[in-house]
Amino acid sequence: MTGLRLGPLLRHVDWETGTSATVWVETDRSCTAEVRCEQGGSGSASTFLIAGHHYAVIPVTGLTPGSATAYEVLLDGSRVWPPEDSALPPSTIRTPPASADAVQITFGSCRWAARPARGHDPVGPDALDTLAVRLAADPDAERPDVLLLLGDQVYADETSDATGARLKARRDTKVPPGSGVADYEEYTWLYDESWRDPDVRWLLSTVPSCMIFDDHDVIDDWNTSTSWLAEMRATPWWHERIVSALMSYWVYQHLGNLSPAELAADPLYEAVRAAPDGTELLRRFAEKADRDATTVRWSYRRDFGRTRLLMVDTRAARVLEEQGRSMLDAGEARWLTEQARDTPGSFDHLLIGTSLPWLLPPLIHDAESWNAALCRGERGPRWARFGERLRRHADLEHWSAFPSSFRELTRLITEVGSGPEAPSTVCVLSGDVHHAYVAEPEWPDGSERDGSVARPDAHVLQLTCSPVHNSIPRPIRLGFRFGWSSAGRRLGRLFAWHGRTDRAPVRWRRSAGPWFGNQLMTLTLRGRSALLRLDQARAEEKGSGRGRLTTLLERRLTGGH
């Protein structure tokens, strides 16, 4: 009998008609995968083959708008989901009603998926697992309409003890890449470890998800500079790592981000499904994407009623040449602008999902801008060499390390957030920095004369939430706290003076946080109103791997200035 190796993951639920969805599965052999819903709606798809693994993205149609229906998964006609012995509630597909004007979005990033050893979790309870347990205990309770996973879904460079043991049994881990993953097969182990946990598996089967990669999905500091990239490409193991990373991302994360119509129009997806073995087709695609990032777009748009989400690739789409450094290449920047400007007045909330925060603690912002100036030669070649070493050691690679991109994003947010058809809120959703905070930009009156931009009508916020399951060293915690302080701001201005950097087009303040721990943020958007909540996973008892979600912040966000 054909078995279900991983999944099901409920990925795309259609918010335009409320009648379709997609379900992703990995099986242990070639088969026809089918979804049958209790209250109508079904779909099937033949599996495709990548590197000895079998996958399907099942389009489910015939759903009823505004409904919730349990579903089961069948492989070659035999039911494999839900498991016969499962104590968890049925997996369900919930569809939005016609003309839905409310959506609840839960987001976070950085989930190290290692299972606790003998019940002890050194980094504390997993916030995603804790959310799953809470929802499973009361399946009729309010739940997110969608999960946004903003990067580092897997850690290719920081594997668990269990995965490390498998690596040692397979190859010599004294040879690079050592305890990091080397190829596609080893990437599949990471996704197994991340998504096979019973509670998380159930959660991902019943709450739709949108995903984007960050550096640890590939390697720490991925694409930080031209010299970094040249050094990596000179190693004997890097080519297989990056190609396998992009191949596995396409299979495990990217396909589920697409709507059924987008999947049907994707020539690579069509070719892979038609081929007896799609490995070489996908491999050539990944090699080309690595050579030339402009040949692929990982960014995407989702509309949830009157809420627009633009999920932005801030890793693969970078331009790294020092004199023209940019977070986004020209095509990616144009796409972002076009999507943000499209049909003004048709959305009440604009969400920009970027794994890396736009607004950081001011000291860190100024330090990154200073470092960027050093690296491009503002203080001569000796300072440039020092700047490159510092950039890598201190991870100075956020939006503020790309000053022109920071200004362009600020201008776009201001433009879209201004005028009679402006949305109520523009929220930049980010992770990466292993703590959570809310920052709000300020536009001083008359600021256009000093190179800043005019005050928008929308309420603009930086919402940062990380990690879902990881930790941060105490010295870095103290550094982040100091970065928000008055003394930190003054030190940052000294960096800016030394680097001869321009003043940022806006100023900003921290209005909530910082919080350190495993956590998730939730936005509830209804009409033009917005409610923000931060939940942190706290251990039920010291050393326990289980936790409960504790609400640390619940705040109504105003609709405008």
Side-chain angles (χ1 to χ4, degrees):
M1 175 178 160
T2 306
L4 184 64
R5 188 172 186 273
L6 198 59
L9 273 74
L10 176 60
R11 295 301 312 272
H12 188 286
V13 171
D14 176 38
W15 275 67
E16 185 175 354
T17 66
T19 61
S20 67
T22 63
V23 174
W24 180 99
V25 296
E26 180 180 354
T27 66
D28 63 11
R29 66 186 69 179
S30 177
C31 65
T32 297
E34 182 182 1
V35 169
R36 293 179 187 170
C37 299
E38 189 176 78
Q39 298 179 22
S42 63
S44 65
S46 298
T47 56
F48 58 90
L49 179 63
I50 300 293
H53 293 258
H54 303 270
Y55 308 94
V57 182
I58 307 163
V60 182
T61 59
L63 300 171
T64 302
S67 69
T69 179
Y71 72 90
E72 57 184 15
V73 177
L74 299 88
L75 303 180
D76 285 338
S78 298
R79 196 186 84 161
V80 295
W81 187 268
E84 294 290 346
D85 58 350
S86 176
L88 292 165
S91 298
T92 59
I93 301 175
R94 295 190 178 191
T95 56
S99 304
D101 69 343
V103 63
Q104 186 176 99
I105 297 173
T106 294
F107 64 95
S109 79
C110 307
R111 181 172 178 262
W112 191 59
R115 293 178 178 87
R118 295 178 297 277
H120 173 68
D121 193 331
V123 301
D126 183 334
L128 199 65
D129 183 76
T130 306
L131 174 64
V133 170
R134 186 174 77 175
L135 294 180
D138 188 2
D140 294 324
E142 180 182 70
R143 67 176 57 177
D145 293 300
V146 64
L147 291 170
L148 304 187
L149 303 178
L150 294 166
D152 295 347
Q153 273 69 262
V154 295
Y155 279 72
D157 53 344
E158 297 178 19
T159 56
S160 67
D161 291 344
T163 297
R166 296 182 72 182
L167 296 176
K168 287 180 181 179
R170 186 174 188 248
R171 58 177 170 82
D172 184 359
T173 56
K174 295 178 182 178
V175 177
S179 61
V181 300
D183 58 20
Y184 186 92
E185 177 62 26
E186 292 174 7
Y187 261 103
T188 69
W189 300 353
L190 298 184
Y191 285 103
D192 281 355
E193 188 173 54
S194 184
W195 293 351
R196 197 184 286 274
D197 171 89
D199 295 311
V200 171
R201 190 175 190 178
W202 172 82
L203 177 71
L204 295 176
S205 76
T206 204
V207 178
S209 53
C210 298
M211 306 181 188
I212 196 71
F213 47 43
D214 199 18
D215 56 342
H216 289 285
D217 291 272
V218 181
I219 192 171
D220 189 25
D221 300 338
W222 175 32
N223 278 350
T224 195
S225 67
T226 50
S227 62
W228 178 92
L229 186 58
E231 289 177 18
M232 297 304 295
R233 285 177 170 171
T235 65
W237 58 271
W238 172 250
H239 178 74
E240 190 60 35
R241 163 73 72 83
I242 185 62
V243 170
S244 298
L246 296 177
M247 289 174 66
S248 61
Y249 177 78
W250 186 85
V251 171
Y252 285 86
Q253 298 190 50
H254 177 68
L255 289 179
N257 293 330
L258 305 181
S259 68
E262 289 168 329
L263 285 170
D266 188 314
L268 176 62
Y269 181 62
E270 180 182 13
V272 165
R273 291 185 64 212
D277 186 337
T279 307
E280 285 306 311
L281 288 169
L282 183 56
R283 185 176 184 85
R284 288 198 295 270
F285 165 83
E287 289 175 331
K288 186 176 181 181
D290 176 48
R291 289 194 306 271
D292 181 2
T294 64
T295 62
V296 60
R297 172 161 298 121
W298 303 111
S299 301
Y300 57 95
R301 167 178 158 181
R302 291 291 312 275
D303 289 327
F304 303 101
R306 292 187 60 83
T307 294
R308 177 170 299 173
L309 168 68
L310 303 179
M311 196 75 97
V312 185
D313 162 22
T314 54
R315 284 290 173 183
R318 293 178 175 185
V319 177
L320 298 178
E321 291 77 10
E322 291 298 343
Q323 302 307 316
R325 264 174 79 85
S326 178
M327 185 67 86
L328 309 176
D329 62 47
E332 199 76 15
R334 183 167 54 252
W335 175 88
L336 177 60
T337 299
E338 289 172 352
Q339 299 303 316
R341 289 175 174 171
D342 187 36
T343 56
S346 66
F347 52 96
D348 293 321
H349 304 277
L350 175 63
L351 310 179
I352 300 175
T354 161
S355 62
L356 304 175
W358 166 52
L359 302 179
L360 289 164
L363 169 58
I364 298 174
H365 173 94
D366 287 333
E368 292 200 353
S369 298
W370 164 73
N371 178 260
L374 296 186
C375 291
R376 67 173 178 264
E378 286 293 332
R379 285 290 184 176
R382 183 175 298 178
W383 277 102
R385 291 191 294 272
F386 167 76
E388 176 62 23
R389 291 194 300 271
L390 181 62
R391 173 159 60 191
R392 298 190 197 183
H393 180 73
D395 293 350
L396 304 180
E397 50 164 353
H398 300 83
W399 283 91
S400 47
F402 298 80
S404 63
S405 298
F406 180 90
R407 290 192 294 271
E408 289 167 8
L409 180 59
T410 303
R411 280 195 292 268
L412 177 62
I413 288 170
T414 307
E415 174 197 332
V416 175
S418 301
E421 295 181 309
S424 175
T425 64
V426 178
C427 298
V428 179
L429 313 182
S430 306
D432 181 70
V433 292
H434 288 211
H435 69 293
Y437 60 88
V438 179
E440 301 187 47
E442 299 172 339
W443 285 262
D445 292 336
S447 60
E448 291 177 89
R449 291 191 298 273
D450 64 15
S452 299
V453 290
R455 182 194 302 270
D457 299 289
H459 190 186
V460 179
L461 302 107
Q462 168 71 63
L463 305 178
T464 303
C465 186
S466 168
V468 173
H469 186 230
N470 213 311
S471 62
I472 184 171
R474 181 174 175 79
I476 298 179
R477 290 191 187 200
L478 297 174
F480 279 124
R481 290 186 185 279
F482 180 69
W484 289 108
S485 68
S486 298
R489 288 177 183 269
R490 290 194 294 271
L491 179 58
R493 293 317 303 157
L494 289 177
F495 281 127
W497 170 82
H498 181 262
R500 301 167 180 158
T501 63
D502 295 332
R503 185 179 292 275
V506 292
R507 300 183 183 188
W508 56 96
R509 61 182 177 86
R510 172 177 53 85
S511 60
W515 297 278
F516 297 92
N518 297 325
Q519 47 211 350
L520 292 163
M521 273 186 178
T522 298
L523 272 173
T524 302
L525 307 170
R526 188 180 303 276
R528 293 183 66 82
S529 71
L531 180 69
L532 174 68
R533 190 180 76 242
L534 175 83
D535 294 315
Q536 194 170 91
R538 300 282 181 86
E540 292 180 340
E541 57 184 67
K542 190 172 183 180
S544 169
R546 283 294 185 182
R548 57 183 174 80
L549 289 178
T550 300
T551 299
L552 302 186
L553 173 75
E554 194 159 18
R555 174 185 294 182
R556 185 163 297 280
L557 307 177
T558 58
H561 293 286

